[in-house]
mmCIF file of all heavy atoms in Angstrom:
data_model
loop_
_atom_site.group_PDB
_atom_site.id
_atom_site.type_symbol
_atom_site.label_atom_id
_atom_site.label_comp_id
_atom_site.label_asym_id
_atom_site.label_seq_id
_atom_site.Cartn_x
_atom_site.Cartn_y
_atom_site.Cartn_z
ATOM 1 N N ASP A 253 -112.251 -32.914 83.604
ATOM 2 C CA ASP A 253 -113.247 -31.902 83.246
ATOM 3 C C ASP A 253 -112.704 -30.825 82.327
ATOM 4 O O ASP A 253 -113.467 -30.110 81.669
ATOM 5 C CB ASP A 253 -113.792 -31.245 84.525
ATOM 6 C CG ASP A 253 -114.557 -32.241 85.390
ATOM 7 O OD1 ASP A 253 -115.162 -33.163 84.816
ATOM 8 O OD2 ASP A 253 -114.537 -32.092 86.623
ATOM 9 N N SER A 254 -111.379 -30.715 82.255
ATOM 10 C CA SER A 254 -110.788 -29.664 81.424
ATOM 11 C C SER A 254 -110.609 -30.099 79.974
ATOM 12 O O SER A 254 -110.289 -29.300 79.111
ATOM 13 C CB SER A 254 -109.428 -29.250 81.997
ATOM 14 O OG SER A 254 -108.522 -30.348 81.937
ATOM 15 N N ALA A 255 -110.791 -31.400 79.707
ATOM 16 C CA ALA A 255 -110.571 -31.923 78.358
ATOM 17 C C ALA A 255 -111.897 -32.320 77.722
ATOM 18 O O ALA A 255 -112.976 -32.048 78.255
ATOM 19 C CB ALA A 255 -109.614 -33.109 78.418
ATOM 20 N N ALA A 256 -111.793 -32.982 76.595
ATOM 21 C CA ALA A 256 -112.984 -33.365 75.851
ATOM 22 C C ALA A 256 -113.829 -34.343 76.639
ATOM 23 O O ALA A 256 -113.337 -35.062 77.501
ATOM 24 C CB ALA A 256 -112.578 -33.987 74.514
ATOM 25 N N GLU A 257 -115.127 -34.360 76.355
ATOM 26 C CA GLU A 257 -116.030 -35.273 77.049
ATOM 27 C C GLU A 257 -115.596 -36.721 76.813
ATOM 28 O O GLU A 257 -115.213 -37.100 75.719
ATOM 29 C CB GLU A 257 -117.450 -35.069 76.534
ATOM 30 C CG GLU A 257 -118.481 -35.880 77.293
ATOM 31 C CD GLU A 257 -119.895 -35.581 76.836
ATOM 32 O OE1 GLU A 257 -120.068 -34.664 76.013
ATOM 33 O OE2 GLU A 257 -120.803 -36.276 77.307
ATOM 34 N N GLY A 258 -115.667 -37.521 77.867
ATOM 35 C CA GLY A 258 -115.271 -38.920 77.741
ATOM 36 C C GLY A 258 -113.804 -39.151 77.990
ATOM 37 O O GLY A 258 -113.292 -40.236 77.779
ATOM 38 N N THR A 259 -113.076 -38.108 78.442
ATOM 39 C CA THR A 259 -111.654 -38.253 78.725
ATOM 40 C C THR A 259 -111.452 -38.432 80.233
ATOM 41 O O THR A 259 -112.025 -37.705 81.033
ATOM 42 C CB THR A 259 -110.864 -37.020 78.251
ATOM 43 O OG1 THR A 259 -111.018 -36.901 76.844
ATOM 44 C CG2 THR A 259 -109.380 -37.161 78.585
ATOM 45 N N PHE A 260 -110.651 -39.426 80.598
ATOM 46 C CA PHE A 260 -110.360 -39.715 81.992
ATOM 47 C C PHE A 260 -108.851 -39.753 82.160
ATOM 48 O O PHE A 260 -108.099 -39.785 81.170
ATOM 49 C CB PHE A 260 -110.954 -41.065 82.408
ATOM 50 C CG PHE A 260 -112.455 -41.100 82.391
ATOM 51 C CD1 PHE A 260 -113.152 -41.188 81.193
ATOM 52 C CD2 PHE A 260 -113.163 -41.059 83.569
ATOM 53 C CE1 PHE A 260 -114.529 -41.226 81.185
ATOM 54 C CE2 PHE A 260 -114.535 -41.100 83.573
ATOM 55 C CZ PHE A 260 -115.230 -41.182 82.377
ATOM 56 N N HIS A 261 -108.412 -39.739 83.398
ATOM 57 C CA HIS A 261 -106.993 -39.964 83.635
ATOM 58 C C HIS A 261 -106.801 -40.863 84.845
ATOM 59 O O HIS A 261 -107.655 -40.947 85.718
ATOM 60 C CB HIS A 261 -106.205 -38.656 83.800
ATOM 61 C CG HIS A 261 -106.621 -37.831 84.978
ATOM 62 N ND1 HIS A 261 -107.382 -36.685 84.853
ATOM 63 C CD2 HIS A 261 -106.390 -37.978 86.298
ATOM 64 C CE1 HIS A 261 -107.582 -36.151 86.036
ATOM 65 N NE2 HIS A 261 -106.992 -36.920 86.941
ATOM 66 N N LEU A 262 -105.671 -41.548 84.816
ATOM 67 C CA LEU A 262 -105.247 -42.366 85.947
ATOM 68 C C LEU A 262 -104.431 -41.457 86.852
ATOM 69 O O LEU A 262 -103.351 -41.004 86.470
ATOM 70 C CB LEU A 262 -104.405 -43.544 85.461
ATOM 71 C CG LEU A 262 -103.858 -44.489 86.517
ATOM 72 C CD1 LEU A 262 -104.993 -45.229 87.192
ATOM 73 C CD2 LEU A 262 -102.893 -45.469 85.898
ATOM 74 N N SER A 263 -104.966 -41.167 88.009
ATOM 75 C CA SER A 263 -104.324 -40.229 88.924
ATOM 76 C C SER A 263 -103.615 -40.993 90.029
ATOM 77 O O SER A 263 -104.224 -41.808 90.718
ATOM 78 C CB SER A 263 -105.367 -39.284 89.535
ATOM 79 O OG SER A 263 -104.757 -38.371 90.416
ATOM 80 N N ILE A 264 -102.324 -40.760 90.169
ATOM 81 C CA ILE A 264 -101.518 -41.425 91.195
ATOM 82 C C ILE A 264 -100.945 -40.333 92.085
ATOM 83 O O ILE A 264 -100.058 -39.583 91.688
ATOM 84 C CB ILE A 264 -100.386 -42.250 90.553
ATOM 85 C CG1 ILE A 264 -100.977 -43.258 89.556
ATOM 86 C CG2 ILE A 264 -99.576 -42.966 91.629
ATOM 87 C CD1 ILE A 264 -99.951 -43.969 88.726
ATOM 88 N N ASP A 265 -101.495 -40.213 93.270
ATOM 89 C CA ASP A 265 -101.126 -39.128 94.167
ATOM 90 C C ASP A 265 -100.472 -39.665 95.430
ATOM 91 O O ASP A 265 -100.857 -40.737 95.924
ATOM 92 C CB ASP A 265 -102.362 -38.309 94.547
ATOM 93 C CG ASP A 265 -103.003 -37.662 93.325
ATOM 94 O OD1 ASP A 265 -102.285 -36.986 92.589
ATOM 95 O OD2 ASP A 265 -104.221 -37.848 93.124
ATOM 96 N N PRO A 266 -99.502 -38.941 95.974
ATOM 97 C CA PRO A 266 -98.812 -39.409 97.173
ATOM 98 C C PRO A 266 -99.780 -39.577 98.337
ATOM 99 O O PRO A 266 -100.776 -38.866 98.457
ATOM 100 C CB PRO A 266 -97.800 -38.287 97.466
ATOM 101 C CG PRO A 266 -97.653 -37.557 96.177
ATOM 102 C CD PRO A 266 -98.965 -37.665 95.477
ATOM 103 N N ARG A 267 -99.486 -40.537 99.187
ATOM 104 C CA ARG A 267 -100.264 -40.745 100.401
ATOM 105 C C ARG A 267 -99.897 -39.640 101.378
ATOM 106 O O ARG A 267 -98.720 -39.435 101.697
ATOM 107 C CB ARG A 267 -99.932 -42.108 100.992
ATOM 108 C CG ARG A 267 -100.675 -42.436 102.277
ATOM 109 C CD ARG A 267 -102.054 -42.947 102.014
ATOM 110 N NE ARG A 267 -102.721 -43.332 103.257
ATOM 111 C CZ ARG A 267 -103.880 -43.969 103.296
ATOM 112 N NH1 ARG A 267 -104.490 -44.282 102.172
ATOM 113 N NH2 ARG A 267 -104.434 -44.282 104.453
#
Side-chain angles (χ1 to χ4, degrees):
D253 295 329
S254 64
E257 186 176 354
T259 298
F260 294 76
H261 63 256
L262 179 66
S263 180
I264 304 171
D265 298 307
R267 179 82 177 189

